[in-house]
């Protein structure tokens, strides 16, 4: 029994945390369980969730992307700033930029053999620089009525962002479980050498996942633009990518790759959202949010270390 | 003839490859000084040195942590925290206690980071990222979100460290220079420096040869904490004030400088002097773009290109995949 519990916790770290949070909420915050508040949590975190989906793909391959945050900022500015050239251009260009940056990242990591940390670290500055070059430090306000209405759209009383997040989550989980690319992702993340020997095109899988990650960051940027209907060059700096990585790690997806799922990511997104909501609703000053999330992340990692059967250090330098 | 194969172009290429950073630094300085008259003036060069030394002092410690094969993304948040601790304690008692408290706080956080990374074998990137969040919150708790100033007249002497000059060169540049020398000597000439490199190169092998890798990692993090505290002292003294977000993003700049300097992110090799070159490179770029009339945000694009170029050329010259 004890063994089973430990096994369960070591595989699904996020479940006990979520249950604990829900229990605390039930005891202390009476208004937490109103449908409005629950939808609100999802609404606030769905765009980050979309980005976390992409990050999960990449993390399953064994890499991390530090540029996701500033890339999102770049895409918000592009979306709003290009609206004078038409709605289609303003949506397609940021997405293309995102895919291109993902391709570049993947190429530099796989073909040139540079550490993904360095590549995405450099891309983080690159995206930030591009944002400022494009905007010249200006903020933009959206001018297209239809785009703004899209941001306010509700289907069955649920915001369009939540729908997009949910649909993407289901599609991604389907890809991971049923499609060849998803299976290959797990294989490459688990052990690239073995995967290569088994005839999997490691490079292709890696580059596609970099593209997926940056693409979802760009999509997050477009959605964020729709939500705000405005842009500021400083969006996404300095620690948005950290939030997304935190969400993914908190869910239980292993940093070393090869282990995790979209349900974990959903759990991570919800955990982060619920903590923020809990702190806001309980009247604790908002600046405790970050600290508490940081502590929980450390705690999760400690628990992970304690219950993990093999206590080898996870290789950090993919 | 033993030296027959060593033709001149080949020797030149080796030198270029080995000193690529120094050469590119000279080229960049040359370009900037051609484009702007004021760039090469003594005043401007001194102001570059003054600007880089705060980051530079931090980078001494960061070089150790990275050489030991780990990361620290919490250094920037720690800088903010220590600045605020110094300012808070200095206003309540006096700057001497402020400095002591700051160094103690820095080394304590280093100890915690080191324990989590060294003893609990956690991924340093994620742990220090989480620590950065915790530290930012602690900073806000210390300051209450306010801007702290050291304004008592009897504390004015504290400004010597960050505002005054000795023989025309700012005090903080001396502090940085002394720290570079000491840290470089420790890294290259002492058993501890050897252990840091050895643990970074291969932690398991080091353990089997009798080196306590865990303790070494903790010490490296504590040294980083000390360096961050030193740069926080200079920073606080320079403005005689502390703000809760003053260090945001400095960890990234520091990391860039160390990477450009050629310290391998895989661990095992590193040099404080090379990090110094990286720091100067960053300072020159930051200053130069402004001097030739380009907006300051060009530096970020340049930073991106330079990181990739340096690391790629480094890899190409070694003809092997150092980092997978």
């Amino acid at each position: 029994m004890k063994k089973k519990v430990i096994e369960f916790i070591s595989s699904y770290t996020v479940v006990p945390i979520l249950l604990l949070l829900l229990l605390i909420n039930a005891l202390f915050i009476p208004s937490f369980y109103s449908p409005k508040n629950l939808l609100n949590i999802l609404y606030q975190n769905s765009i980050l969730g979309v980005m976390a989906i992409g990050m999960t793909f990449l993390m399953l391959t064994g890499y991390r992307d530090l540029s996701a945050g500033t890339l999102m900022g770049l895409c918000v500015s592009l979306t709003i700033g290009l609206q004078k050239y038409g709605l289609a251009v303003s949506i397609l260009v940021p997405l293309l930029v995102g895919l291109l940056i993902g391709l570049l990242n993947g190429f530099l990591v796989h073909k040139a053999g540079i550490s993904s940390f360095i590549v995405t670290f450099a891309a983080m500055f690159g995206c930030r620089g591009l944002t400022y070059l494009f905007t010249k430090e200006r903020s933009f306000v959206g001018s297209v009525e239809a785009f703004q209405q899209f941001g306010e759209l509700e289907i069955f009383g649920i915001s369009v962002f939540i729908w997009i997040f949910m649909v993407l989550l289901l599609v991604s989980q389907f890809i991971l479980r049923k499609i060849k690319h998803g299976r290959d992702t797990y294989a490459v993340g688990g052990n690239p050498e073995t995967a290569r020997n088994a005839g999997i095109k490691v490079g292709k899988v890696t580059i596609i996942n970099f593209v997926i990650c940056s693409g979802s960051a760009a999509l997050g940027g477009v959605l964020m633009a729709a939500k705000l209907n405005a842009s500021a060059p400083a969006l996404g700096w300095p620690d948005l990518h950290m939030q997304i990585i935190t969400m993914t790690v908190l869910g239980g997806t292993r940093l070393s790759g090869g282990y995790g799922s979209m349900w974990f990511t959903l759990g991570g997104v919800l955990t982060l959202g619920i903590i923020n909501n809990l702190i806001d609703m309980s009247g604790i000053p908002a600046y405790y949010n970050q600290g508490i999330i940081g502590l929980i992340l450390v705690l999760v990692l400690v628990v992970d270390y304690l219950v993990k059967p093999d206590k080898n250090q996870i290789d950090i330098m993919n | 003839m033993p030296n027959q194969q060593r033709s001149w172009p080949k020797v030149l290429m080796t030198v270029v490859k080995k000193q690529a950073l120094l050469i590119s630094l000279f080229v960049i300085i040359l370009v900037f000084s051609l484009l702007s008259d004021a760039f090469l003036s003594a005043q401007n060069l001194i102001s570059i040195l003054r600007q880089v030394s705060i980051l530079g002092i931090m980078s001494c410690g960061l070089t150790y942590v990275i050489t030991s094969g780990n990361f620290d993304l919490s250094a920037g948040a720690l800088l903010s925290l220590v600045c605020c601790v110094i300012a808070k304690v200095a206003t309540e008692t006096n700057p001497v206690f402020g400095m002591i408290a700051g160094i103690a706080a820095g080394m304590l956080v280093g100890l915690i980071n080191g324990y989590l990374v060294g003893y609990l074998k956690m991924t340093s990137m994620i742990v220090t990222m989480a620590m950065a969040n915790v530290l930012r919150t602690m900073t806000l708790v210390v300051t209450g979100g306010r801007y702290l100033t050291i304004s008592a007249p009897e504390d004015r002497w504290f400004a010597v460290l960050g505002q005054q000059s000795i023989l025309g060169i700012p005090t903080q540049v001396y502090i940085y220079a002394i720290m570079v020398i000491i840290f470089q000597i420790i890294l290259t000439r002492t058993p501890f420096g050897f252990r840091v490199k050895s643990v970074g190169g291969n932690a398991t092998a080091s353990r089997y040869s009798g080196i306590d890798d865990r303790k070494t990692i903790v010490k490296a993090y504590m040294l980083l904490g000390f360096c961050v505290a030193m740069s926080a002292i200079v920073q606080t003294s320079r403005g005689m004030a502390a703000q809760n977000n003053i260090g945001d993003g400095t960890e990234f700049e520091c990391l860039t400088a160390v990477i450009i300097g050629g310290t391998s992110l895989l661990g095992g090799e590193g040099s404080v002097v090379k990090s110094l070159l990286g720091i100067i490179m960053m300072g020159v770029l930051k200053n130069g773009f402004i001097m030739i009339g380009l907006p300051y945000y060009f530096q970020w694009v340049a930073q991106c290109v330079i990181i990739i170029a340096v690391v790629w050329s480094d890899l190409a010259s070694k003809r092997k995949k150092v980092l997978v």
Side-chain angles (χ1 to χ4, degrees), chain A residues 265-295:
Chain A
T265 303
L266 177 64
V269 172
L270 287 180
T271 310
L272 219 68
I274 290 174
I275 293 171
N276 280 332
N277 188 268
L278 174 65
I279 291 170
D280 291 345
M281 304 255 294
S282 61
I284 302 171
Y287 52 76
Y288 282 94
N289 288 14
Q290 284 193 347
I292 290 174
I293 288 164
L295 279 180

Side-chain angles (χ1 to χ4, degrees), chain A residues 261-318:
Chain A
S261 80
M262 287 303 157
W263 302 125
F264 286 6
T265 303
L266 177 64
V269 172
L270 287 180
T271 310
L272 219 68
I274 290 174
I275 293 171
N276 280 332
N277 188 268
L278 174 65
I279 291 170
D280 291 345
M281 304 255 294
S282 61
I284 302 171
Y287 52 76
Y288 282 94
N289 288 14
Q290 284 193 347
I292 290 174
I293 288 164
L295 279 180
I296 288 178
L297 188 56
V298 172
L299 217 69
V300 167
L301 293 169
V302 172
V303 170
D304 231 26
Y305 166 76
L306 292 177
V307 297
K308 215 177 344 178
D310 57 328
K311 301 194 175 178
N312 293 325
Q313 186 174 15
I314 300 166
D315 180 23
I316 55 161
M317 289 311 314
N318 289 299

Side-chain angles (χ1 to χ4, degrees), chain A residues 108 112-115 117-118 121-122 125-126 128 132 136-137 239 242 246 255 287 290-291 294 302 305 316 318, chain B residues 69 71 120 122-123 126 129-130 133-134 136-137 140 252 256 265 296-297 300 303-304 307 311-312 315 323-324:
Chain A
L108 285 172
I114 307 174
S115 137
F117 180 89
I118 294 185
F121 180 71
F125 286 106
R128 193 176 179 217
Y132 278 79
K136 302 203 169 52
E137 296 175 76
D239 66 344
M242 303 270 184
T246 307
L255 281 167
Y287 52 76
Q290 284 193 347
V302 172
Y305 166 76
I316 55 161
N318 289 299
Chain B
F71 269 126
L120 298 188
M122 291 183 188
T123 310
I126 299 297
M129 189 179 95
N133 278 344
V134 177
R136 280 197 199 111
T137 299
L140 283 163
F252 295 132
T256 311
L265 274 191
Y296 67 97
Y297 37 79
W300 294 320
Q303 208 170 331
C304 165
I307 294 175
V311 176
W312 199 346
L315 285 180
L323 306 169
V324 178

Side-chain angles (χ1 to χ4, degrees), chain B residues 50 57 82 92 95 107 126 134-135 142 154 175 194 200 204 223 246 250 259 270-271 279 310 312 317:
Chain B
R50 185 201 280 272
I57 295 170
V82 177
E92 276 168 16
M107 291 182 81
I126 299 297
V134 177
L135 294 177
V142 168
E154 66 269 22
I175 299 177
F194 174 75
T204 319
L223 274 182
I246 199 157
T250 50
I259 293 171
S271 153
I279 284 279
V310 165
W312 199 346
S317 72

Side-chain angles (χ1 to χ4, degrees), chain A residues 36-56:
Chain A
K36 202 177 164 194
N37 186 42
L38 293 176
L39 276 181
N40 195 21
I41 294 176
L42 270 177
Y43 173 70
Q44 281 166 349
N45 293 285
S46 48
I47 291 176
L48 292 182
V50 168
M51 295 169 70
I53 287 174
M55 191 64 86
T56 311

Side-chain angles (χ1 to χ4, degrees), chain A residues 222-260:
Chain A
V222 174
L223 293 178
M224 189 61 97
K227 190 176 179 178
L228 302 174
N229 199 31
S231 77
L235 274 173
W237 175 263
D239 66 344
L240 187 66
H241 58 281
M242 303 270 184
Q243 281 184 39
I244 293 157
I245 294 176
T246 307
M247 281 176 172
T248 320
V249 175
L250 212 54
T253 299
R254 292 264 157 84
L255 281 167
S256 48
Y259 182 85

